[in-house]
Amino acid sequence: LCRSRKAIVEDVPGVTRDRNYADAVWDDKHFTIVDTGGFDPGAEDKILELMREQAQLAIDEADVIILLFDGRAGLMPADEEVVAYLRRAEKPIFYVVNKIDGREQDGLSAEFYALGVETIYPISSAHGHGISDLFDDVAELLPDGVDTRDETDDSIRVAVVGKPNAGKSTFINKLLGEERLLTSDLPGTTRDSIDTELTYNGRRYVFVDTAGIRRKRSISQRLEKFSVIKAISSLEEADIVLILVDATIGATEQDEKIAGLAFERGRGCLLLINKWDLVEKDTSTAGTFAKELRDRFKFLSFAPIHFLSAKTGLRVAKTLQLIERVHEQYTRRIGTGELNRFFEEVVERKQPAMYRTKKVKIYYVTQVTTKPPTFVAKTNFPEAIHFSYERFLKNQLRERFGFEGTPIRLYFRPRGGKRTEVDD
Ligand code: GDP
């Protein structure tokens, strides 16, 4: 799917490609594909059981389920069980038989009708056969991507994400235990979720989807509850994402995955280094740690790094000030006049490369939206703007205006007509 011509998979250089989640667009529907890694509904083996739990989480969060069979292996006894299991979710299911390498082999998928399903989609992932038909139908059932964040609400919506045991629950509880804070529970945006609202310095903060985080659970329950899938759904609800990293372990691949998702979603980001009380320190420890993080999270070079201890309370309350600062940048608007004076000067200093024999011009720039700040530059040859030039312009924007903690986006469009998009 991700390689088919029709799908646009939103991926950004610098963000790890190797993961089981991909954002895609098909027929103007934006969606996330989650690869669950497969499962056996009756598994008693510990690892298989864990896989099933992860798959169950994905099923709970999904709008549409695709059940993929192996057409070469043929119908397996366990397939029936899987079908029965998935039907309980009462969600649309697409039954897809893979490894059917062309229309003449479609007949091979017929035996799967024995499962009592209405439609079987024969496809070949390797050759692309059938993918288009399948996703035309899938896209029809996907909801329109509605941004659930209310534009008129001036509260700052925050998601706390991080590996199990990073200290999310300790952090939230410590924050809520601060005497200066007034807190209350709110029903969340998604099914069964609870948000926590607090007021600090006259500002309302809503920590989204805190029910699972706040409730103390056994380790295995927490493992079950937390997953990258869970993190994706709380990212959707938030403006600012706090990525909690365990200082005693350092940043891990999972941290990188979650941070990458926050970045791709265009959320404001803060890197919080927790358990700082456990680290033996001298004057250079924080600097060295920060440098390693910067190397790991190259795409998050704009995100502030904040060291704290959720357990002792060290710099926990200060996090709120940082969130407010990032939110300011995240919602910041630059006037068109100021923006164009600035761009004139920058383009004067360094011109875009020629397109064939023609001069590439940038006519004017406007900020079209915030959350995150998004700019559109009108040009005669949008497709001729080189990636490195765009990077240069973004760096200049940051140098001049800051935008600490927030991604920025810059799109190039011709004067009138369709646009070319590039995400930061
Ligand atoms: P979660 O799974 O991310 O919610 O992590 P928890 O909040 O349950 O914390 C996991 C463990 O780390 C618990 O035993 C906490 O007491 C401990 N912990 C969390 N934050 C800190 C910290 O800042 N310093 C120390 N020393 N321990 C911490």
Side-chain angles (χ1 to χ4, degrees):
L1 167 70
C2 298
R3 270 186 297 139
S4 79
R5 254 175 302 130
K6 200 167 162 196
I8 306 160
V9 172
E10 294 165 341
D11 219 332
V12 192
V15 178
T16 166
R17 269 174 177 278
D18 134 55
R19 57 174 146 80
N20 306 324
Y21 312 86
D23 285 352
V25 187
W26 189 280
D27 285 346
D28 289 337
K29 293 280 179 68
H30 292 246
F31 57 102
T32 304
I33 305 159
V34 179
D35 174 0
T36 64
F39 72 106
D40 176 350
E44 279 169 23
D45 179 275
K46 260 271 165 268
I47 293 193
L48 290 179
E49 211 179 293
L50 207 79
M51 274 172 73
R52 185 183 62 217
E53 283 168 4
Q54 290 300 311
Q56 184 61 53
L57 258 166
I59 292 163
D60 291 346
E61 301 287 334
D63 293 300
V64 167
I65 299 164
I66 293 175
L67 176 55
L68 196 68
F69 299 107
D70 182 340
R72 291 268 170 82
L75 191 59
M76 305 293 262
D79 288 343
E80 219 159 299
E81 264 176 85
V82 176
V83 170
Y85 181 83
L86 289 181
R87 276 184 173 152
R88 274 185 282 168
E90 295 182 352
K91 293 192 176 182
I93 306 174
F94 286 82
Y95 301 94
V96 180
V97 178
N98 189 30
K99 307 192 190 172
I100 304 296
D101 296 337
R103 217 162 274 288
E104 65 291 350
Q105 289 187 20
D106 279 357
L108 291 178
S109 63
E111 65 172 307
F112 287 88
Y113 280 105
L115 293 167
V117 306
E118 212 163 285
T119 312
I120 295 275
Y121 291 82
I123 67 160
S124 161
S125 297
H127 302 100
H129 165 64
I131 297 273
S132 209
D133 290 343
L134 169 64
F135 275 92
D136 282 348
D137 291 355
V138 169
E140 231 168 83
L141 294 190
L142 292 173
D144 291 316
V146 205
D147 200 331
T148 47
R149 298 171 303 161
D150 181 355
E151 281 303 313
T152 59
D153 182 359
D154 69 345
S155 63
I156 303 179
R157 300 180 63 81
V158 187
V160 181
V161 299
K163 280 173 10 95
N165 242 21
K168 297 180 293 298
S169 126
T170 312
F171 172 76
I172 290 274
N173 288 318
K174 191 62 152 197
L175 198 59
L176 298 183
E178 286 273 324
E179 287 157 20
R180 289 167 286 168
L181 301 179
L182 267 174
T183 71
S184 60
D185 287 346
L186 303 171
T189 328
T190 53
R191 197 166 20 101
D192 300 333
S193 69
I194 294 176
D195 298 342
T196 307
E197 186 187 60
L198 60 87
T199 309
Y200 174 77
N201 268 346
R203 220 46 248 221
R204 279 172 57 230
Y205 296 77
V206 176
F207 284 78
V208 302
D209 212 356
T210 40
I213 298 182
R214 276 170 61 194
R215 225 175 302 136
K216 265 290 169 197
R217 294 156 160 269
S218 71
I219 292 280
S220 68
Q221 277 175 319
R222 271 189 288 133
L223 277 179
E224 178 196 340
K225 197 70 203 158
F226 175 80
S227 73
V228 179
I229 297 156
K230 204 73 210 157
I232 292 178
S233 67
S234 40
L235 290 184
E236 298 291 351
E237 309 294 326
D239 296 313
I240 311 293
V241 177
L242 309 184
I243 301 146
L244 212 62
V245 175
D246 185 336
T248 62
I249 300 178
T252 65
E253 208 176 301
Q254 193 174 336
D255 293 326
E256 203 178 315
K257 261 186 197 170
I258 296 173
L261 290 163
F263 169 74
E264 285 172 17
R265 289 289 191 286
R267 303 306 195 232
C269 295
L270 271 163
L271 288 164
L272 302 186
I273 316 310
N274 188 34
K275 308 195 187 178
W276 199 236
D277 57 300
L278 294 180
V279 175
E280 248 186 74
K281 295 174 271 292
D282 60 39
T283 48
S284 63
T285 314
T288 310
F289 201 99
K291 193 181 167 304
E292 274 168 25
L293 274 182
R294 290 287 179 222
D295 282 346
R296 180 118 204 181
F297 298 104
K298 285 215 170 64
F299 52 95
L300 280 191
S301 56
F302 54 83
I305 296 177
H306 183 58
F307 296 90
L308 57 90
S309 166
K311 193 168 182 181
T312 68
L314 175 77
R315 288 192 288 265
V316 166
K318 171 119 198 289
T319 313
L320 292 174
Q321 290 166 34
L322 270 174
I323 295 171
E324 184 170 9
R325 222 164 77 199
V326 167
H327 188 261
E328 245 169 52
Q329 300 297 312
Y330 181 68
T331 52
R332 183 162 171 205
R333 255 182 207 286
I334 313 285
T336 305
E338 185 179 8
L339 202 56
N340 281 285
R341 279 192 297 280
F342 166 70
F343 263 90
E344 246 165 62
E345 178 195 310
V346 169
V347 174
E348 175 76 35
R349 207 159 8 110
K350 184 174 167 179
Q351 304 274 341
M354 303 273 283
Y355 180 56
R356 303 200 177 121
T357 55
K358 300 211 176 73
K359 200 171 152 153
V360 176
K361 290 182 195 141
I362 291 178
Y363 302 114
Y364 66 93
V365 184
T366 49
Q367 181 173 353
V368 290
T369 183
T370 61
K371 299 187 169 188
T374 303
F375 304 89
V376 166
K378 297 283 184 175
T379 160
N380 47 351
F381 298 115
E383 64 285 1
I385 305 276
H386 194 263
F387 178 72
S388 62
Y389 191 70
E390 175 204 312
R391 165 74 51 88
F392 162 75
L393 291 180
K394 277 188 195 156
N395 287 342
Q396 293 295 312
L397 270 168
R398 282 195 186 281
E399 212 164 279
R400 173 65 167 266
F401 300 108
F403 293 121
E404 186 191 20
T406 178
I408 52 175
R409 292 181 166 162
L410 178 58
Y411 298 148
F412 296 94
R413 287 188 200 168
R415 283 203 291 197
K418 74 170 184 36
R419 65 182 192 173
T420 312
E421 296 187 3
V422 188
D423 288 356
D424 174 71

